[in-house]
Amino acid sequence: MSARRLPGGAAIRAKGWGRAHGWLLARRTVQFAFLAMFLSGPLAGVWIAKGTLASSLTFGVLPLSDPFMVLQSLAARHVPETAALLGAAIVLAVYALLRGRLFCAWVCPVNPVTDAAAALRRRLGWRDGLRLDRRLRFTVLAGVLLASAAGGTIAWELVNPVTMMHRALVFGSLLAWGVVAAVFLFDLAVAPRGWCSALCPVGAFYGLAGGWGRVTVRAPRRAACDHCQDCFQVCPEPHVIPPSLNDPASDAILSRDCTACGRCVDVCPQSVFVLGLRRHGPAAGAAPLRQGDLP
Amino acid sequence: MAIETDRRTPTRRRFVQGTLRTAAGAGACGLGLALFAEQSRSLPADALRPPGALPEQKFLSACVRCGLCVRACPYDTLKLADLAAGPAGGTPYFRARKIPCEMCDDIPCVKACPTGALDKSLTDISVARMGVAVIVSRDTCLNLQGLRCDVCYRVCPLIDKAIRLEIRHNERTGRHAHLIPVVDTSACTGCGKCEQSCVLEEAAIKVLPAALAHGRIGAHYGLGWEEKARHGDKPFVEGIIDLPDRGYTPPELPRPLGREVRP
């Protein structure tokens, strides 16, 4: 069934440490850069972005707003000012063009936390846990909008760890770190990848909004796949991988759940995957199936 | 005829059940969040909202907790509430005793708010209503003891409008005056400069939420002297006559200088 080895070792031997971690480093750099843009002001007096991920103003001219939050505000019967509406439209357009869940892998501050929990689980060899239904987060999404409409408040902000963590980093907070720790422990000990894959409605929203984006992981060298399953181990949404390896019509990971994190690209010793802007390529022969493979 | 139910083909029953389950789940989540939101919509008791803030009920549906108002304030007045404020976590507030609102003419916090939680229709800061200043402790206010502090009166940006000093005879000494600070609740913006400047260890004047601090006289009351002044000193009621008082001797009234005393 699943490989008993830790993923990544074979990739380092085959490609070298640099190429086995290229996309991971790029992602952490981008996440850090987003954070640095908000912190350069309060820490160094150089103001780039003011505010938080909820709503920000960059260089004093560019408004950006969380479209999910604006949607909740509208559900609560408040029509935001132009700045927030424009900011939400810009964000939505960019993610729709690129890929919705890019937010999850490249911007969200909770991502390093859940990635760390997953990595620790692999190190400790913990395999069992609560496998929550992926569709649960869409239920949460609907519930949040219902609560906003009924309660007249932006409901998800009552518990949202994404903005809590970002506010804690940018404005300072004590109790918010408890919520972050709770997410970490939840992913570590209760439900593997439980937060991002099954509970968080922000990711669900972005997935719905940007399922047709251009940034796509493809598997042009899938004929070279040796079924080590390292990619399945590191992928936060492993169900998106099989179609790209087996579907005769397309070698792309088209599922809106894919966050384009690039872990599969990094960790594959055969360099089966590639992350780029082309959604379709000539579909090479499918990876040969073996008994016991996931369909 | 046996009907083959392929797991990938949604049957009517599976569709209906699936929809019901999703709806129930959404209802459960929504109910949980909505109930949690009802718990308490309050910040610390002495917390005030920034100028132009919508009424609290609407404020929580508009504020996205972005902190742009906090960044815009040139005096570091505003802070974002921590999680302990429950549903109001992350929303901006200030404590007058620590750093009051300095009543900037250009109101940068309102300008910075991207969603309108701070209402952009506020253009004149003297119309802001963040709260109402109230002399909460008549036992400790120095002016009320007959001394001359006056600090809250002097720092008020709307001096002689929102706060004035009223002269009362000092009964204890017989030869001095009390200068009582009196707040005009219809003019006070609740900026809190008075509370912050009060020289006592615990301020004797505090900014309270407007809902707590306001009274209402009711439409059926008229203050005779104000009505009279509005009608150009004519009698309040047309044709009213003053009948003689029989069997009643009014007390000897001290005669104010230069004015005839009429019983």
Side-chain angles (χ1 to χ4, degrees), chain B residues 62-76:
Chain B
C63 176
V64 290
R65 289 86 163 157
C66 67
L68 280 169
C69 55
V70 178
R71 295 290 185 223
C73 176
Y75 296 99
D76 269 347

Side-chain angles (χ1 to χ4, degrees), chain B residues 36-173:
Chain B
F36 179 41
E38 286 302 318
Q39 251 183 21
S40 79
R41 297 166 176 274
S42 62
L43 300 160
D46 57 346
L48 301 169
R49 288 288 184 207
L54 297 173
E56 190 64 11
Q57 166 83 349
K58 287 232 74 188
F59 187 79
L60 290 176
S61 76
C63 176
V64 290
R65 289 86 163 157
C66 67
L68 280 169
C69 55
V70 178
R71 295 290 185 223
C73 176
Y75 296 99
D76 269 347
T77 299
L78 297 172
K79 301 263 174 292
L80 291 184
D82 207 337
L83 282 195
T91 55
Y93 73 101
F94 70 99
R95 281 202 165 94
R97 185 65 165 160
K98 279 209 79 185
I99 310 180
C101 170
E102 292 290 341
M103 302 264 283
C104 307
D105 276 322
D106 56 340
I107 329 183
C109 49
V110 171
K111 284 216 178 67
C113 177
T115 60
L118 304 182
D119 200 343
K120 295 223 189 289
S121 66
L122 183 75
T123 47
D124 179 7
I125 188 66
S126 63
V127 172
R129 294 289 176 264
M130 301 171 259
V132 175
V134 178
I135 305 273
V136 293
S137 173
R138 301 184 68 85
D139 307 332
T140 59
C141 169
L142 298 179
N143 273 35
L144 280 155
Q145 311 318 309
L147 301 168
R148 287 298 304 275
C149 170
D150 303 343
V151 172
C152 60
Y153 166 75
R154 288 188 188 286
V155 302
C156 178
L158 298 174
I159 187 173
D160 280 328
K161 264 205 75 189
I163 193 168
R164 60 183 186 273
L165 294 177
E166 283 191 358
I167 301 177
R168 297 274 182 276
H169 180 64
N170 188 333
E171 302 287 344
R172 184 177 62 84
T173 66

Side-chain angles (χ1 to χ4, degrees), chain A residues 106-236:
Chain A
W106 293 79
V107 182
C108 181
V110 177
N111 169 268
V113 174
T114 53
D115 274 358
L120 189 56
R121 272 186 74 92
R122 282 197 297 270
R123 291 247 142 215
L124 295 171
W126 292 358
R127 283 173 199 286
D128 57 355
L130 196 59
R131 309 275 159 180
L132 293 165
D133 193 324
R134 277 195 311 274
R135 290 164 296 180
L136 185 54
R137 57 197 168 144
F138 295 100
T139 307
V140 175
L141 176 56
V144 163
L145 290 172
L146 272 175
S148 297
T153 170
I154 300 185
W156 189 238
E157 286 315 290
L158 274 53
V159 295
N160 187 359
V162 176
T163 48
M164 277 184 194
M165 186 174 171
H166 202 252
R167 264 203 308 276
L169 288 165
V170 176
F171 284 94
S173 163
L174 286 175
L175 297 180
W177 293 111
V179 177
V180 175
V183 172
F184 177 80
L185 292 172
F186 178 75
D187 263 31
L188 178 68
V190 179
R193 295 288 183 185
W195 179 257
C196 301
S197 301
L199 288 179
C200 184
V202 183
F205 175 84
Y206 278 118
L208 284 176
W212 303 271
R214 296 215 45 98
V215 175
T216 316
V217 175
R218 294 190 304 114
R221 280 173 46 82
R222 59 189 183 174
C225 171
D226 68 354
H227 304 274
C228 69
Q229 304 217 345
D230 278 5
C231 55
F232 284 98
Q233 287 203 61
V234 295
C235 178

